[in-house]
Amino acid sequence: MRDHGGNLDAARVRYGEGEWIDLSTGINRVPCPLPAIPASAWQALPDRAATAGLIRAAQAAYATSAAVLPVAGAQAAIQMIPRAFPVGLARVLGPTYNEHAAALHEAGWRVEEVGELPALAGADLAVVVNPNNPDGACHAPEALRLLAGQVGRLVVDESFADPVPELSLAPEPGRALVLRSFGKFYGLAGVRLGFVLGEKAAIAALAAMAGPWPVSGPAISIGCAALADRDWAAASIARLQDDARRLDGLAARAGWRLVGGGHLFRLYDTPDAAAAQELLARRHIWSRIFPWHARWLRLGLPAPDEWARVEAALRR
Amino acid sequence: MRDHGGNLDAARVRYGEGEWIDLSTGINRVPCPLPAIPASAWQALPDRAATAGLIRAAQAAYATSAAVLPVAGAQAAIQMIPRAFPVGLARVLGPTYNEHAAALHEAGWRVEEVGELPALAGADLAVVVNPNNPDGACHAPEALRLLAGQVGRLVVDESFADPVPELSLAPEPGRALVLRSFGKFYGLAGVRLGFVLGEKAAIAALAAMAGPWPVSGPAISIGCAALADRDWAAASIARLQDDARRLDGLAARAGWRLVGGGHLFRLYDTPDAAAAQELLARRHIWSRIFPWHARWLRLGLPAPDEWARVEAALRR
């Protein structure tokens, strides 16, 4: 298994059991409330009507009429896409979420990481995470649409795009495949729900690969309710925006420089990321560092009742 | 989407809304009780410790120390296996669950359906469903072990094997890949949980394809609790055995001949399957018929409080 955030069990072994605050992921720590889940959602296979309802909810939330395939998390799409299309040269705009390159590589693609958007041109398949993880870098839809014409297939991973709909290609994906995560913004990553949006033929190919019941009954119930709750979404975006500023302030006072980040995580340049992670971990706050950068530390945003501990830990 | 049971929404459209009894699937209609699901199972990505616990629960329930990969239903394994290994000639012992041949075909395999176990020999990949769906035909583990030496790779789909552990290859899969369904026997098909068991290298290849979080947090909680509840399993097997005899009696009085079946469904030869299905559907009991056989009708087993309606419908 590749390096990820969320490996809190390893932190517990190293730094002890207790009330951990897991800021090592970009998962919203204030989840959307769970709806009542009918017994049939657990017991029966999801039927076509339920799946169609989820697709409509996703189309409304993502402001699109494009074809939509519900999958068991954006990660499921990352696993499938490399095997759904003929292999060739893939380019990934990096550094970014490491599963894209890894899944492409495992499926037999030649994979190059490039540092600038225009350098993706010419690839048979190009991957852009927008906004990017971990640095929050953003690309305008026009730039991505231009790029889509210069590559065989463009994959835009919008796992962190819920708070910035103006950046999304979902309303008009054209020939791009757009990945959406449900679990991150809605704070329900354990549900395993995500979506791929794009042109009909590509979505049909992925649907054939995913099989008839890729998403659980409870995931359908929860997805339908949460995606329709635009009040919760608006309030959460406002809270996350305030919280991002608040965390940046604490980090600045600790002597960390903001590299970037979005509404769900912030990336800081620290004197020594491993030392900073350890300092937080001793106070049972778990963070994300990167094997390929000795100074960067990424933090998710605390829930309202977790700020006091985070402030104390960063004040020192 | 291929023909399946469980398409109750289509039945509702045709025969009206109401309190339907869905006997069109082989899903236990008395589900294992749901445990309390911790908030963290919904909110966080499943960690390695949770997944390891589920694997141990599966190993105990299936009496095996073989490598185990949890997947989102046995169907997920059916989708992955054809793409995890080099394509060639696949043979499927049929007639059987139609997704095997379809998934192999879609992944580029040449697929032959054969009618007898020995005719599978010589295939690069061979599929046996044991006990078989829809006719309940069973094969002894010794016969399957012999066959495993005569094919490139043997896949044994044991989706309906929970009540007949003596038939299972799980304790000693050798080079075979064994598929187990969680949702059918435990009556929780909407959870999307299943397992692949086999030798380490093949399971590792499938794990790489499935990605880091193929199974939801609630599925892990539920799977761990249900697979450990051997009392529930024993009582359910006894009830299903009694219920199968009871349904066979009703069918015989209706003039239907038992073709076969296991603990979770019964297959009957009727004068006219479509007419029999319609007769039941008018009483809001949904059954399974097969486009390739005009006389066969398959029924799952009713829950205790559903028998009166099933008896009335079959008495006529």
Side-chain angles (χ1 to χ4, degrees):
Chain A
M1 205 155 135
R2 283 171 287 277
D3 175 61
H4 288 117
N7 53 339
L8 194 59
D9 42 2
R12 286 184 198 279
V13 168
R14 179 137 178 225
Y15 297 101
E17 292 290 334
E19 282 283 303
W20 279 84
I21 300 174
D22 185 4
L23 304 184
S24 73
T25 79
I27 301 164
N28 190 342
R29 291 189 61 77
V30 184
C32 191
L34 292 175
I37 297 171
S40 61
W42 297 105
Q43 294 169 22
L45 287 168
D47 64 22
R48 295 172 209 208
T51 303
L54 178 61
I55 290 171
R56 282 195 302 275
Q59 287 173 323
Y62 304 140
T64 186
S65 57
V68 172
L69 174 68
V71 291
Q75 181 69 38
I78 294 172
Q79 299 293 138
M80 285 194 298
I81 287 170
R83 298 179 196 257
F85 305 106
V87 301
L89 169 65
R91 291 196 176 121
V92 179
L93 183 62
T96 191
Y97 182 58
N98 59 20
E99 291 286 339
H100 285 286
L104 287 159
H105 181 76
E106 253 164 29
W109 291 75
R110 186 153 63 90
V111 184
E112 296 176 358
E113 185 179 303
V114 302
E116 300 292 337
L117 199 67
L120 294 166
D124 298 305
L125 186 148
V127 179
V128 178
V129 181
N130 190 40
N132 192 41
N133 169 11
D135 64 1
C138 292
H139 303 280
E142 305 74 54
L144 294 172
R145 291 206 175 90
L146 181 67
L147 177 68
Q150 301 168 337
V151 298
R153 191 175 300 277
L154 176 63
V155 174
V156 183
D157 179 350
E158 297 186 355
S159 282
F160 293 101
D162 294 72
V164 283
E166 66 278 13
L167 290 183
S168 178
L169 278 195
E172 290 180 54
R175 290 190 61 252
L177 284 173
V178 176
L179 314 190
R180 300 292 301 224
S181 165
F182 173 78
K184 293 181 185 77
F185 176 65
Y186 291 94
L188 296 166
V191 169
R192 310 311 300 131
L193 180 61
F195 302 91
V196 196
L197 297 76
E199 56 177 2
K200 271 191 183 169
I203 296 300
L206 291 168
M209 216 170 156
W213 309 287
V215 167
S216 73
I220 294 175
S221 298
I222 293 166
C224 287
L227 290 168
D229 192 346
R230 304 324 290 163
D231 291 344
W232 182 90
S236 297
I237 292 169
R239 177 184 59 78
L240 290 164
Q241 205 144 19
D242 290 347
D243 285 358
R245 278 196 216 101
R246 184 172 174 182
L247 191 63
D248 290 350
L250 296 178
R253 283 197 289 282
W256 299 350
R257 186 180 63 81
L258 178 68
V259 179
H263 289 71
L264 288 161
F265 56 81
R266 312 298 286 173
L267 183 67
Y268 301 110
D269 190 84
T270 72
D272 178 337
Q277 181 176 60
E278 177 158 355
L279 181 141
L280 292 168
R282 291 191 184 285
R283 288 160 175 83
H284 285 183
I285 295 167
W286 193 229
S287 59
R288 178 75 195 277
I289 61 175
F290 301 90
W292 43 269
H293 201 297
R295 299 168 52 95
W296 282 6
L297 179 131
R298 195 190 69 186
L299 288 177
L301 297 173
D305 61 349
E306 295 170 341
W307 279 100
R309 279 179 57 198
V310 174
E311 283 177 350
L314 283 173
R315 203 178 298 125
R316 277 168 289 181
Chain B
M1 205 154 136
R2 282 171 288 277
D3 174 62
H4 286 118
N7 53 338
L8 193 60
D9 41 2
R12 285 184 198 278
V13 169
R14 180 137 176 225
Y15 297 100
E17 292 291 333
E19 280 284 303
W20 279 84
I21 300 175
D22 185 4
L23 304 185
S24 73
T25 80
I27 301 163
N28 191 340
R29 291 189 62 75
V30 184
C32 190
L34 292 176
I37 297 171
S40 61
W42 296 106
Q43 294 169 23
L45 287 167
D47 64 22
R48 294 171 209 209
T51 303
L54 178 62
I55 289 171
R56 283 194 302 275
Q59 287 173 323
Y62 304 140
T64 186
S65 58
V68 173
L69 175 67
V71 291
Q75 181 69 38
I78 293 172
Q79 299 293 137
M80 285 195 298
I81 287 169
R83 298 180 195 257
F85 306 107
V87 302
L89 169 64
R91 290 194 176 123
V92 179
L93 183 62
T96 191
Y97 182 59
N98 60 19
E99 290 286 339
H100 285 286
L104 286 159
H105 181 76
E106 253 164 30
W109 291 75
R110 186 153 63 91
V111 184
E112 297 176 357
E113 186 178 301
V114 302
E116 301 292 336
L117 199 67
L120 294 166
D124 298 307
L125 187 148
V127 179
V128 178
V129 181
N130 191 39
N132 190 41
N133 169 11
D135 65 1
C138 292
H139 303 280
E142 305 75 53
L144 294 173
R145 290 205 176 90
L146 181 67
L147 178 69
Q150 301 168 336
V151 299
R153 191 176 300 276
L154 177 63
V155 175
V156 183
D157 178 350
E158 298 187 353
S159 282
F160 294 101
D162 294 72
V164 284
E166 66 278 12
L167 290 183
S168 177
L169 278 195
E172 289 180 54
R175 290 190 60 253
L177 285 173
V178 176
L179 314 191
R180 300 292 302 223
S181 165
F182 173 78
K184 293 183 185 77
F185 176 65
Y186 292 94
L188 295 166
V191 169
R192 308 313 299 131
L193 180 61
F195 301 92
V196 195
L197 296 76
E199 56 178 3
K200 269 190 185 170
I203 296 299
L206 291 167
M209 220 171 152
W213 309 286
V215 166
S216 73
I220 293 175
S221 299
I222 293 167
C224 286
L227 290 167
D229 192 346
R230 304 325 290 160
D231 291 343
W232 183 90
S236 297
I237 292 169
R239 177 184 60 78
L240 291 165
Q241 205 144 19
D242 291 346
D243 285 358
R245 278 195 216 102
R246 183 172 177 183
L247 192 62
D248 290 350
L250 296 177
R253 283 197 288 282
W256 299 351
R257 186 179 63 80
L258 178 67
V259 179
H263 289 70
L264 288 161
F265 55 82
R266 312 299 287 172
L267 183 67
Y268 302 111
D269 189 84
T270 72
D272 179 336
Q277 181 176 61
E278 177 158 356
L279 181 141
L280 292 169
R282 290 190 185 285
R283 288 160 175 82
H284 286 182
I285 295 166
W286 193 227
S287 59
R288 177 74 195 277
I289 60 175
F290 302 91
W292 43 268
H293 201 298
R295 299 167 53 94
W296 283 6
L297 179 131
R298 195 189 69 187
L299 288 178
L301 298 173
D305 61 348
E306 295 169 341
W307 278 100
R309 279 179 56 197
V310 174
E311 283 177 351
L314 282 173
R315 201 178 300 127
R316 276 169 290 180

